[in-house]
Amino acid sequence: MAAWLQERDNKVNICNNFLAGSCEFDRNCRFSHDAEAFLAQKPKELQGQCPFSAAPRCPFGIACLFASTHSNMDENTIKVLQAHQTALAASNTEPAPSAVQNSAVKAADATVHSEVPSGPTIELADKLTNGCSADATAQVCHKAVSAQVSDVPDSVELPVAALIQAESNCMSRDVQSQLRKKTYDFARADAVLKELGVRNTWQGAANKKAKAHDRGQKRPESALGTDVSQPASKRACANAGAAAVPPAPPQTPSHAASQAFSQTSSQTPPQAPPQAAGAAADAAADAQAETILHVPETAAMPSGALPISLHLNGHIPNNSALSSLPPGHVPPFPESDTNPPAAQTPLAAAAAAALDGEPTLASNEPAAAAVHGQKPDAAALGTPPPETNGHASSGLPPSEVEPARLYDVNRDKHLRDEANDMHVDVPLQPREKKKLDFNGKLYLAPLTTVGNLPFRRVCKGLGADITCGEMALATNLLQGQASEWALLKRHPCEDVFGVQVCGGYPDALSRTAQLIEDNCHVSFVDVNMGCPIDLICDRNAGSSLLQRPRAIEQIVRSMSGVLSCPVTIKVRKGFMDNKDVAHTFLPSVHSWGGAAVTLHGRSRQQRYSRSADWGYITQCAQQTSSLPLIGNGDVFSWRDYREHVNDSSPVATTMIARGALMKPWIFQEIKEQRDIDITACQRLDILKQFCGNGLEHWGSDAKGVETTRRFLLEWLSFLYRYVPVGLLEVVPQVMQWRPPAFYGRSDLETLLASDNAADWVRISEMLLGPTPVNFSFAPKHKSNAYANSETGMAQSREADQENG
């Protein structure tokens, strides 16, 4: 049985379109249409209002875990819900974990852990008494501090947005279909790559046409019609066969035209002689691609008829030249023009004439008459007769004589294709592109997994100026993967928003740039050339590009030639520790077309351990005075920011990453230049806001709730490291500090400071309801991954593969 049939028969996922009123797939839908069976397995509803209360209708219907609060349900939904609630009240028992909830947990786990292999699973049964710390490298065990917490509520209500705003940068079905079928036209990106002389390995629609055209030119034919590109033995056999066949009798021009017309009609084409087999095959292919009728060059023009001559190269003879020739004579085909440009094809000539307002033939009958050498009817041509308009028989100037064109049943489609072929995209100069000022702006880093759209909304509300989406892999975007395209989504509150892509080759990244240019609305595009993850570096992307400066140049040049928005790059000091290379190519990035550079003051081997080298960052900023340089690393307070960004510093601004995860109100601290002693209740309100944004983004059904829970737990694995200002002996807190377990000023503050995964899950249950039985969670990111040598890096890679 097919997988989608099993999914439908399990009644796990109900069709949202069916709940809305109609499903176009009806019985063939992969989702269930049985509402009663779905409600029998539906998890218990959550406390509070539906996050889509401000919308006219909840998009998840009865699948929403707040369905009982919907105010605009239809009668059938009300009847089913009342019956379901009555059955639950009569049983007076807590329902067991349903298949719907278990399926949602699996889907949420796959969503969170789809990009990077995760660490070992942490079972809650092992965490209730003694559990390991979330820091995988510390290897220190602590007792759960939540055992004696008593004044923490079991559940809280989430805030509801007063206005539901639609997200942008969503992938359409047409684009996804074209990407999967490899029919998306990357003409602009391919033209830039060709101009730069960069190898293009894409097999899309544009490249297939170009390669087919090249193959056609590489097969010249001799005067006898034999393909000279074939081996000599095959050519000899072909010549021998041609010699054995007697020559065909000569045909008159009218007979040749009649035969050409009959081959393009629905009638059975006549048999061609063996020596013309290759030419007939080529003619059939041309006729299939372009249905305009071709007139032989030697066809006689009747006296007084309009000159209808569409040569193989698309040239229409000049009327002044025709007037000086004897009747019935057509100028010979120019031998030197064997490869005409696209603008001189028959369709191009027809398009150009149509733009001038010239009439075209209205049916196939006058076209057939013209091809047979007969004078077409003037009424059928849509023009006055020659004696009234003076064409070809009057003494009008040659420039006023309008050439006639033949009718094509696919004329509109061909004209669109020809218009696309004739279109020339001139890359914008750097001074013509949109400008983006990074100076003094608070820039939230593109954080993989935890830098999702709901988290960015929280940071925007706390003072962030520039946001950037999570890192998206270029190859996955080109394949049309919906999960990867979801990383490009933008909320309306993100006024200055960029997307970050990652790849190792200029052809893939230039095509990705065209995709973003065509289908997304962004302020800038950033290329991640500093990701230290082995899975990325093994694909010649991320930090591995630091070993290939030539590839960095090709990537920046190709992407800047396609995009109308600024292109920025993010790099590290170098690949290996104590081997800094960033200063060798950063001064040239501006001449390549880059608009800004973000420099992380660590090497790839160093990853996230030890302190960032801000001295090296300042040195590189002094060398790149014409290019804004954004520093990155260990900004955890407003003092750190002012130390690196001031009037005497060449650094434009800083990119804030882990500091925003541990203390998202850092943006407000920097703007107000003060240390904020935030309370535990205020921190909980921030978590409530994140969960409300998550349900609005990922959905209010069981799958959306579990996805929100997974991303919340990932954030809590960073958030617990914050130490309240009121408990610090030395202000401010430093990023590298690993404080011991402590009791806060309240039970809630103690719970938020716990490094125990069971306590994080308890916080998620306060906000998103109880978890299913056998629920497990493992932090995806490792805070420390420093290797002292290449051997250590290899051992770290092997450990990652074993855990993954």
Side-chain angles (χ1 to χ4, degrees):
M1 181 182 293
W4 69 273
L5 289 175
Q6 295 179 356
E7 185 177 6
R8 185 184 64 182
D9 295 341
N10 290 336
K11 317 295 183 184
V12 172
N13 295 323
I14 194 166
C15 177
N16 290 330
N17 293 332
F18 170 76
L19 297 177
S22 63
C23 177
E24 57 180 328
F25 300 102
D26 197 16
R27 296 181 180 272
N28 296 326
C29 181
R30 63 177 300 176
F31 301 109
S32 173
H33 288 186
D34 192 344
E36 296 183 1
F38 173 81
L39 288 176
Q41 306 180 68
K42 181 182 175 181
K44 183 180 179 180
E45 290 197 0
L46 301 181
Q47 181 181 355
Q49 296 292 322
C50 175
F52 298 95
S53 298
R57 176 186 173 276
C58 176
F60 297 94
I62 60 175
C64 176
L65 294 187
F66 304 88
S68 59
T69 64
H70 292 173
S71 58
N72 49 359
M73 293 184 295
D74 57 274
E75 296 181 358
N76 294 331
T77 303
I78 295 176
K79 184 184 300 184
V80 174
L81 283 177
Q82 289 178 349
H84 179 62
Q85 294 175 355
T86 303
L88 289 179
S91 62
N92 197 23
T93 58
E94 187 72 18
S98 62
V100 175
Q101 195 172 15
N102 294 332
S103 175
V105 171
K106 294 180 181 180
D109 185 68
T111 301
V112 176
H113 297 274
S114 60
E115 300 175 5
V116 185
S118 61
T121 301
I122 301 177
E123 299 292 341
L124 290 187
D126 299 333
K127 298 292 294 180
L128 293 178
T129 55
N130 288 325
C132 294
S133 169
D135 187 352
T137 62
Q139 300 298 330
V140 179
C141 295
H142 301 278
K143 189 174 182 179
V145 299
S146 61
Q148 303 299 327
V149 172
S150 58
D151 62 347
V152 177
D154 293 333
S155 63
V156 295
E157 291 189 12
L158 301 180
V160 178
L163 177 65
I164 302 297
Q165 296 177 295
E167 300 168 356
S168 58
N169 298 347
C170 301
M171 178 177 59
S172 65
R173 290 186 178 181
D174 293 339
V175 172
Q176 185 180 36
S177 176
Q178 293 176 19
L179 292 175
R180 290 181 175 179
K181 296 179 181 179
K182 295 185 178 181
T183 58
Y184 195 94
D185 189 6
F186 293 101
R188 298 203 313 274
D190 294 342
V192 173
L193 292 172
K194 184 177 181 181
E195 181 181 358
L196 296 175
V198 179
R199 180 185 177 188
N200 190 354
T201 60
W202 176 250
Q203 295 296 329
N207 264 12
K208 287 181 180 179
K209 292 180 180 179
K211 290 184 178 181
H213 179 69
D214 294 341
R215 285 196 300 268
Q217 289 187 348
K218 292 178 182 179
R219 291 166 49 192
E221 295 184 359
S222 65
L224 296 177
T226 306
D227 189 354
V228 297
S229 63
Q230 295 180 352
S233 58
K234 291 187 177 182
R235 292 202 305 268
C237 295
N239 293 336
V245 179
Q251 297 180 349
T252 62
S254 60
H255 179 67
S258 176
Q259 184 177 357
F261 174 76
S262 62
Q263 290 179 358
T264 59
S265 63
S266 59
Q267 300 177 2
T268 303
Q271 298 294 332
Q275 65 269 26
D282 294 340
D286 294 338
Q288 183 179 3
E290 181 176 276
T291 56
I292 286 187
L293 303 178
H294 293 272
V295 181
E297 300 176 14
T298 58
M301 299 296 298
S303 177
L306 297 180
I308 307 177
S309 178
L310 297 177
H311 294 290
L312 296 178
N313 69 338
H315 284 296
I316 298 180
N318 195 335
N319 294 321
S320 60
L322 287 176
S323 61
S324 61
L325 295 177
H329 182 78
V330 177
F333 181 81
E335 297 179 356
S336 61
D337 192 4
T338 56
N339 295 319
Q344 293 181 350
T345 59
L347 291 175
L355 292 176
D356 294 335
E358 297 178 359
T360 57
L361 297 181
S363 63
N364 282 341
E365 288 77 5
V371 172
H372 284 281
Q374 302 175 5
K375 182 176 180 180
D377 188 9
L381 287 172
T383 58
E387 55 271 11
T388 59
N389 60 18
H391 287 180
S393 60
S394 65
L396 288 177
S399 59
E400 297 183 11
V401 179
E402 298 178 354
R405 289 162 307 281
L406 300 179
Y407 178 76
D408 180 13
V409 293
N410 296 324
R411 178 176 178 273
D412 292 340
K413 177 180 181 301
H414 288 312
L415 290 181
R416 287 194 301 267
D417 294 341
E418 290 292 345
N420 292 333
D421 293 340
M422 291 185 291
H423 179 71
V424 178
D425 243 343
V426 180
L428 295 176
Q429 298 296 326
R431 61 179 180 273
E432 298 175 332
K433 291 190 175 183
K434 301 175 184 177
K435 300 296 182 181
L436 184 60
D437 184 16
F438 290 94
N439 293 320
K441 301 295 180 60
L442 300 183
Y443 188 175
L444 174 64
L447 303 164
T448 304
T449 303
V450 283
N452 45 68
L453 186 144
F455 177 76
R456 298 198 303 268
R457 290 181 61 183
V458 170
C459 292
K460 282 294 296 183
L462 294 173
D465 296 322
I466 303 175
T467 57
C468 187
E470 303 174 62
M471 180 185 70
L473 300 180
T475 52
N476 294 349
L477 293 176
L478 292 174
Q479 292 171 2
Q481 295 185 14
S483 60
E484 207 73 16
W485 275 80
L487 304 178
L488 309 182
K489 289 185 178 180
R490 175 183 188 176
H491 193 266
C493 71
E494 300 179 275
D495 49 351
V496 182
F497 171 77
V499 296
Q500 187 183 72
V501 296
C502 181
Y505 302 96
D507 55 348
L509 285 171
S510 63
R511 291 191 294 270
T512 304
Q514 182 181 335
L515 272 180
I516 297 173
E517 178 76 11
D518 295 343
N519 304 282
C520 299
H521 177 64
V522 298
S523 304
F524 63 95
V525 176
D526 185 66
V527 185
N528 191 333
M529 302 181 181
C531 180
I533 300 175
D534 296 330
L535 185 66
I536 301 299
C537 293
D538 291 342
R539 300 181 180 180
N540 294 327
S543 295
S544 64
L545 286 171
L546 298 173
Q547 300 174 312
R548 300 155 52 212
R550 176 60 178 167
I552 296 178
E553 177 184 356
Q554 293 177 341
I555 289 172
V556 175
R557 288 186 181 275
S558 60
M559 294 186 67
S560 62
V562 175
L563 291 168
S564 60
C565 62
V567 178
T568 64
I569 63 174
K570 184 176 184 293
V571 299
R572 286 177 174 249
K573 294 196 310 176
F575 190 82
M576 300 299 299
D577 202 14
N578 299 324
K579 295 181 181 179
D580 302 337
V581 297
H583 64 278
T584 61
F585 63 84
L586 287 185
S588 303
V589 173
H590 181 67
S591 62
W592 299 342
V597 172
T598 301
L599 178 58
H600 188 174
R602 291 183 175 90
S603 65
R604 187 260 176 174
Q605 184 182 7
Q606 186 179 351
R607 299 213 175 182
Y608 299 98
S609 65
R610 298 186 297 176
S611 299
D613 189 354
W614 275 93
Y616 182 78
I617 295 176
T618 303
Q619 175 186 350
C620 292
Q622 293 173 350
Q623 298 178 0
T624 59
S625 57
S626 60
L627 186 71
L629 191 140
I630 305 167
N632 177 225
D634 300 344
V635 178
F636 199 32
S637 66
W638 69 271
R639 294 180 177 87
D640 295 334
Y641 181 85
R642 287 304 175 191
E643 179 183 355
H644 307 313
V645 182
N646 49 60
D647 295 337
S648 61
S649 174
V651 178
T653 187
T654 63
M655 177 183 284
I656 305 175
R658 287 184 295 168
L661 292 175
M662 302 177 195
K663 190 170 61 174
W665 55 93
I666 187 177
F667 304 102
Q668 184 178 353
E669 286 188 347
I670 295 175
K671 290 186 174 181
E672 298 178 2
Q673 298 190 26
R674 67 184 182 95
D675 298 308
I676 299 178
D677 188 8
I678 188 171
T679 65
C681 292
Q682 291 173 327
R683 294 171 66 186
L684 184 62
D685 289 339
I686 294 177
L687 296 178
K688 291 164 61 176
Q689 185 63 48
F690 172 83
C691 293
N693 297 341
L695 296 181
E696 185 180 333
H697 176 64
W698 289 300
S700 58
D701 59 344
K703 180 180 177 181
V705 169
E706 294 306 319
T707 302
T708 305
R709 187 193 308 277
R710 288 288 182 177
F711 284 104
L712 173 64
L713 293 172
E714 291 289 345
W715 184 20
L716 289 174
S717 67
F718 287 91
L719 193 63
Y720 83 95
R721 293 171 56 180
Y722 167 73
V723 180
V725 175
L727 300 180
L728 288 174
E729 295 181 358
V730 179
V731 179
Q733 181 182 355
V734 180
M735 181 81 68
Q736 283 72 30
W737 286 358
R738 295 292 186 268
F742 61 90
Y743 284 96
R745 294 166 292 187
S746 65
D747 288 344
L748 180 59
E749 192 171 73
T750 304
L751 181 63
L752 292 173
S754 174
D755 63 350
N756 191 289
D759 295 322
W760 305 340
V761 174
R762 178 174 179 180
I763 295 173
S764 73
E765 290 179 333
M766 292 170 49
L767 301 166
L768 300 171
T771 59
V773 178
N774 300 325
F775 177 82
S776 62
F777 168 72
K780 182 176 178 181
H781 289 275
K782 298 180 179 179
S783 58
N784 272 334
Y786 179 70
N788 294 323
S789 62
E790 296 184 5
T791 304
M793 294 178 63
Q795 294 175 353
S796 177
R797 183 183 298 109
E798 293 176 359
D800 289 345
Q801 293 175 354
E802 292 176 0
N803 294 334

